[in-house]
Amino acid sequence: MIELKSAEEIGLMAVTGQFVGELLAELRGVAAVGVNLMDLEHHARRRIEERGADSCYWDYEPSFGRGPFRNVLCLSVNDAVLHGLPHDYVLRDGDLLSIDMAVAIDGWAADSALSVVVGTPDPADLKLIEATEVALEAGIAAARPGGHLGDVSAAIGEVASSYGYGVNGEFGGHGIGRTMHEAPHVANSGRARRGMKLEAGLTIAIEPWFCRSTDKIRFDEDGWTIRSADGSRTAHSEHTVAITSSGPRVLTRALS
């Protein structure tokens, strides 16, 4: 069931979203050559506890995965793109890191992700990250009342194609609000003017992710970490977005 949110409820989600956006920006600054992934995880745990927030990831146990998730971040390096388990790994020069997090404050959730290269960047990695960011902005721009969910998916897919990347259809965006994952599913490729009609009050997480040279994925033995099937590098960008009568409102953009 899809639950439309009131303006007041969207305002409460925006409080959570601001915290998520600011913490992600902080983590981007902490991530550097020589930093252990577990340092990032524990940094986020401290900030979440200090804010009195609740991680949406901790104890999350979907149909995939092996046992409950016992971290507050997904940290995916290089060919890993989604659901990467924080572990004892020290970031190296040129690593491409994707950071994904979702928390709830006072019962309202927000979810966001970004990708960054630590140290010396490979131009091909910067292009890949740029593609996800451009696709995210295109998807956000298409999330307007009176449009269709397929408009969002088509906008993302068109950007992927323009950069020369394929789109995997197994994982995409989703509704969000009282819980991290709500209806509807937001695919990263689709047909414009198709799918459910978009209404003010709908809140969704839009999250394009691309692999450099494949649209196929594989799972690690941990049951969580998703990698490109061919070992090529990956990138992921995400925002929580509310559709309002005046257009899309990004709830997780860090304030400058």
Side-chain angles (χ1 to χ4, degrees):
M1 184 179 74
I2 295 173
E3 178 189 14
L4 300 180
K5 281 70 173 182
S6 67
E8 180 181 0
E9 290 170 334
I10 290 172
L12 293 171
M13 288 182 66
V15 172
T16 309
Q18 181 179 344
F19 171 73
V20 169
E22 290 176 353
L23 181 50
L24 270 180
E26 189 175 315
L27 290 168
R28 181 203 291 268
V30 173
V33 176
V35 171
N36 195 298
L37 294 184
M38 293 308 300
D39 293 336
L40 296 173
E41 168 69 16
H42 288 291
H43 184 102
R45 290 185 193 183
R46 287 193 300 273
R47 289 288 188 260
I48 290 169
E49 182 178 4
E50 290 167 359
R51 181 58 178 82
D54 296 302
S55 169
C56 297
Y57 291 171
W58 196 271
D59 279 343
Y60 180 56
E61 194 167 6
S63 57
F64 62 91
R66 188 165 300 163
F69 198 84
R70 289 292 170 84
N71 297 279
V72 302
L73 297 176
C74 291
L75 297 173
S76 306
V77 181
N78 295 334
D79 62 328
V81 63
L82 297 173
H83 311 149
L85 287 173
H87 61 284
D88 183 16
Y89 175 83
V90 176
L91 290 168
R92 304 168 184 170
D93 186 48
D95 276 347
L96 198 167
L97 172 67
S98 295
I99 309 172
D100 192 357
M101 65 173 292
V103 304
I105 297 175
D106 296 328
W108 292 100
D111 190 0
S112 188
L114 57 81
S115 293
V116 62
V117 177
V118 298
T120 309
D122 181 333
D125 289 341
L126 296 181
K127 175 188 172 186
L128 184 63
I129 294 171
E130 177 186 275
T132 65
E133 294 173 344
V134 172
L136 176 57
E137 294 303 324
I140 291 168
R144 309 190 69 83
H148 292 264
L149 192 60
D151 299 341
V152 177
S153 301
I156 294 169
E158 287 169 7
V159 171
S161 179
S162 72
Y163 275 82
Y165 303 127
V167 174
N168 176 278
E170 296 173 66
F171 291 89
H174 49 88
I176 185 170
R178 298 180 189 273
T179 61
M180 175 174 60
H181 284 154
E182 298 181 353
H185 173 70
V186 184
N188 285 329
S189 181
R191 297 177 65 183
R193 297 179 295 280
R194 298 295 180 93
M196 64 171 284
K197 194 167 185 178
L198 301 178
E199 300 180 61
L202 180 66
T203 49
I204 55 177
I206 301 174
E207 52 177 314
W209 59 273
F210 308 138
C211 308
R212 188 187 292 180
S213 56
T214 184
D215 60 3
K216 303 295 191 297
I217 57 174
R218 64 178 178 85
F219 283 82
D220 274 4
E221 290 185 3
D222 62 32
W224 285 101
T225 306
I226 297 176
R227 299 181 184 275
S228 62
D230 64 357
S232 61
R233 290 201 167 188
T234 64
H236 176 205
S237 295
E238 176 182 17
H239 274 309
T240 294
V241 179
I243 297 173
T244 75
S245 58
S246 58
R249 178 183 176 186
V250 180
L251 305 182
T252 48
R253 206 184 299 280
L255 299 178
S256 55

